[in-house]
Amino acid sequence: MSWFESFILGLVQGLTEFLPVSSSAHLRLTAAFAGWHDPGAAFTAITQIGTETAVLIYFRKDIATIVGAWFRSLRDKSMRSDHDAQLGWLVIVGSVPIGVLGVTLKDQIEGPFRDLRLIATTLIVMGVVLGVADRLAARAERETGRHTAGNHRKTLKDLGVKDGLVYGLCQAMALIPGVSRSGATISGGLLMGYTRESAARYSFLLAIPAVLASGLYELKDVGEGHVSWGPTLLATVVAFGVGYAVIAWFMRFITTKSFMPFVYYRIALGVLLFVLVGMGVLSPHAGESAG
């Protein structure tokens, strides 16, 4: 992998990690469209450490409060009813599904799941799911606005073990490129009745243990094949800088805007990918053998 390739892929990772469009799919597609080697699951996981570092800094106050309350709850039973302490436990509970499935499906994640036809399918299907969730949430918000005594949209204070596990299962779906970690968890949150901001905030917090664990685990594979340490580190740094700017913009965007632009983009990209593969312009396994 050249320095130029790593810079572009780091840029793509930073731009797409927090948007509901799937960063892993975009890394795979960028390489396929450019005629480069598939960067692979290890490169993707490690560059996500960069974007997850942006989450740690952006949400540093929230994270410090949650971690502090969680540790205090280990010693003080009265703290176990504290919302922040419970949120810490729920992040752990929600991380179990992706941890188990990530280890169980490791070979599939690094092989069959990177087929461009599967990526096209997941882009379209999850785009439709996100669109339905967004429309239902928008309608519920309008009805709540007209009937102030009606059911309110849930916030993180309403989060319990059941919803935490559902969030975790949604996150685990993102092991398939094209699903999108944020897209799946935000969709799940909206369908469970959470506000856009709460769904996005918990999505980002929930990703921290899984992404950091995955990235650290994959460090051992750097230097194998065509991916070396230098370009990987460059891509990770670029992903961090761009990712921080994107997460700040996205958290402002979702307070007033719909997710529908991302829905249309996902569906259009999925259809285009099917057309290109169907016409033979792209091989469904483009770059894999070389990578």
Side-chain angles (χ1 to χ4, degrees):
M1 177 181 290
S2 70
W3 292 98
F4 176 72
E5 288 177 41
S6 67
F7 175 80
I8 296 299
L9 292 174
L11 185 63
V12 171
Q13 168 64 25
L15 286 171
T16 58
E17 171 65 17
F18 303 117
L19 305 181
V21 296
S22 179
S23 61
S24 57
H26 278 75
L27 289 176
R28 175 80 176 90
L29 293 177
T30 299
F33 286 141
W36 301 337
H37 298 334
D38 177 2
F43 177 87
T44 301
I46 293 168
T47 55
Q48 284 176 338
I49 293 178
T51 45
E52 218 51 41
T53 302
V55 172
L56 291 173
I57 295 175
Y58 187 85
F59 291 111
R60 60 189 180 279
K61 293 181 180 178
D62 291 5
I63 294 170
T65 300
I66 292 169
V67 172
W70 182 81
F71 273 112
R72 288 195 299 274
S73 73
L74 297 178
R75 303 187 305 271
D76 185 354
K77 291 183 179 181
S78 66
M79 281 293 297
R80 294 176 187 176
S81 60
D82 180 80
H83 167 69
D84 292 314
Q86 291 178 343
L87 196 54
W89 284 109
L90 290 171
V91 168
I92 294 173
V93 169
S95 301
V96 171
I98 197 170
V100 173
L101 292 176
V103 173
T104 305
L105 302 175
K106 187 177 188 299
D107 292 339
Q108 286 74 20
I109 294 168
E110 296 177 348
F113 284 1
R114 302 185 73 78
D115 188 303
L116 297 184
R117 292 165 297 190
L118 177 59
I119 292 175
T121 301
T122 53
L123 282 169
I124 294 172
V125 172
M126 287 307 301
V128 172
V129 171
L130 178 61
V132 171
D134 184 71
R135 290 295 176 87
L136 291 175
R139 186 173 66 184
E141 288 168 0
R142 288 195 300 270
E143 291 176 353
T144 299
R146 289 196 300 267
H147 308 287
T148 55
N151 294 331
H152 70 288
R153 299 292 292 178
K154 292 191 284 188
T155 68
L156 292 186
K157 291 187 180 297
D158 301 302
L159 188 64
V161 174
K162 178 182 176 181
D163 287 358
L165 281 173
V166 172
Y167 266 114
L169 290 171
C170 290
Q171 177 178 241
M173 293 171 60
L175 292 170
I176 305 174
V179 170
S180 170
R181 186 190 311 273
S182 64
T185 50
I186 289 173
S187 296
L190 293 177
L191 291 172
M192 287 188 290
Y194 287 85
T195 65
R196 299 168 193 271
E197 184 178 6
S198 294
R201 185 174 293 269
Y202 187 64
S203 170
F204 296 152
L205 293 175
L206 182 61
I208 294 173
V211 171
L212 293 181
S214 175
L216 293 173
Y217 176 77
E218 295 290 357
L219 286 175
K220 61 180 175 47
D221 293 332
V222 177
E224 298 182 3
H226 70 285
V227 179
S228 57
W229 270 107
T232 301
L233 289 175
L234 173 62
T236 303
V237 171
V238 172
F240 161 73
V242 176
Y244 188 88
V246 171
I247 193 173
W249 170 83
F250 187 62
M251 291 305 294
R252 291 193 301 270
F253 175 87
I254 60 175
T255 58
T256 58
K257 305 295 184 181
S258 164
F259 288 114
M260 292 310 295
F262 302 111
V263 172
Y264 299 139
Y265 171 76
R266 289 180 63 104
I267 294 174
L269 181 59
V271 170
L272 174 63
L273 194 52
F274 269 128
V275 171
L276 293 177
V277 171
M279 293 177 63
V281 176
L282 280 178
S283 164
H285 307 288
E288 283 187 3
S289 59

